Amino acid sequence: MYLVGLTGGIASGKSTVSSMLRELGCPIIDADVVARKVVEQRTRAYSCIVHHFGPGILLENGDIDRQKLGQIIFASEEKRKLLNSITHPEIHKAMLKEILFYFLRGYRYVVLDVPLLFETRRLTRFLNHTVVVYCDPATQLSRLMQRDGLTQEQAEQRVAAQMPLNEKRGLANHVIENSGSREDTHRQVLRLHTKLEDSMDFLLVRVIAIVATAGLGGLLLYAAKILLS
């Protein structure tokens, strides 16, 4: 099995593309979903976040108020980095468990849906393909304002807090242009899906895994013989 990284920018349409790939049968690991799980109450990340940001970020039921926390981190790069340093290691550990699950089930590849894929760069060295969902800046801003009920100033602040989409576009192996219609985006996703299905990258990973497993088994057998002799 090999790994495909899917990313984009806020309101660029990454979730739409992820849903289309899931409908085509692609296994998706959504970092946002994982991120919500690792900050649930009684987790290590939850305790650290409350310690550093204070109980004022909590809802009445004790859960973290994501909107309030978002306002804090989007207004301060230092606090945004602090939050990332708390959550990212926990997110990566949880994602690794899911990757192993799909590997054992025999999938050819799995798509990692990661908003900050190129910002953190911690996962890129493990990826065979990277995909960016792109839309032009005016469309991105308009969608964000409409989706989240933000003022133009608030929307611009959130867009500015991320790596520019043009920069991400230059780093990716594949680009899904999502400034137009849903039908046009779907056609591009179908073409991408065909390329990924036809790729033989998974064979090399399987061979390496088999060789490594066989090597480890041989080493354990040799050690057992020595101990029993």
Side-chain angles (χ1 to χ4, degrees):
M1 188 186 72
Y2 64 92
L3 303 178
V4 179
L6 174 66
T7 192
I10 189 169
S12 69
K14 178 180 62 61
S15 296
T16 297
V17 171
S18 182
S19 296
M20 290 177 178
L21 287 169
R22 184 177 281 109
E23 288 171 3
L24 291 169
C26 300
I28 307 288
I29 299 176
D30 189 330
D32 279 340
V33 173
V34 175
R36 285 193 286 272
K37 289 181 180 178
V38 301
V39 297
E40 290 177 348
Q41 295 185 46
R42 293 178 292 280
T43 62
R44 177 184 174 278
Y46 174 92
S47 300
C48 288
I49 291 170
V50 175
H51 172 74
H52 286 287
F53 291 89
I57 62 163
L58 299 178
L59 297 167
E60 289 185 5
N61 65 0
D63 289 342
I64 292 173
D65 188 331
R66 294 172 61 85
Q67 185 174 3
K68 187 175 292 185
L69 183 59
Q71 291 171 351
I72 293 172
I73 65 169
F74 279 114
S76 169
E77 183 177 0
E78 182 182 352
K79 291 181 178 178
R80 187 164 63 251
K81 288 181 177 179
L82 172 60
L83 179 65
N84 288 342
S85 71
I86 295 169
T87 59
H88 285 177
E90 301 301 315
I91 292 169
H92 293 158
K93 282 191 286 186
M95 291 178 73
L96 178 59
K97 289 180 182 179
E98 292 196 41
I99 290 169
L100 290 173
F101 169 77
Y102 286 119
F103 177 79
L104 294 173
R105 293 190 64 185
Y107 281 89
R108 287 191 171 199
Y109 67 92
V110 63
V111 177
L112 307 183
D113 182 339
V114 185
L116 301 179
L117 181 66
F118 292 123
E119 283 88 340
T120 62
R121 294 183 178 273
R122 292 180 180 177
L123 294 174
T124 52
R125 65 182 181 275
F126 302 112
L127 305 175
N128 294 72
H129 299 266
T130 53
V131 183
V132 162
V133 181
Y134 175 87
C135 69
D136 62 79
T139 300
Q140 183 184 20
L141 203 62
S142 174
R143 286 175 177 169
L144 181 56
M145 292 168 63
Q146 184 176 8
R147 187 191 73 184
D148 293 354
L150 303 175
T151 65
Q152 182 169 336
E153 182 180 0
Q154 289 172 324
E156 288 174 345
Q157 185 184 54
R158 298 204 171 196
V159 170
Q162 297 185 342
M163 181 186 293
L165 274 175
N166 265 328
E167 190 173 342
K168 292 186 179 184
R169 186 177 190 172
L171 295 170
N173 304 121
H174 310 276
V175 177
I176 300 292
E177 169 59 61
N178 191 42
S179 301
S181 67
R182 184 180 179 89
E183 291 72 22
D184 182 52
T185 299
H186 191 255
R187 283 192 292 270
Q188 295 177 67
V189 171
L190 285 174
R191 287 196 294 270
L192 172 65
H193 176 63
T194 299
K195 288 180 181 178
L196 295 177
E197 284 291 308
D198 291 342
S199 173
M200 301 301 288
D201 289 347
F202 78 98
L203 283 178
L204 177 60
V205 179
R206 288 270 171 198
V207 169
I208 292 172
I210 291 170
V211 170
T213 302
L216 179 61
L219 180 62
L220 291 173
L221 181 60
Y222 177 70
K225 285 181 179 179
I226 292 176
L227 290 173
L228 294 173
S229 62

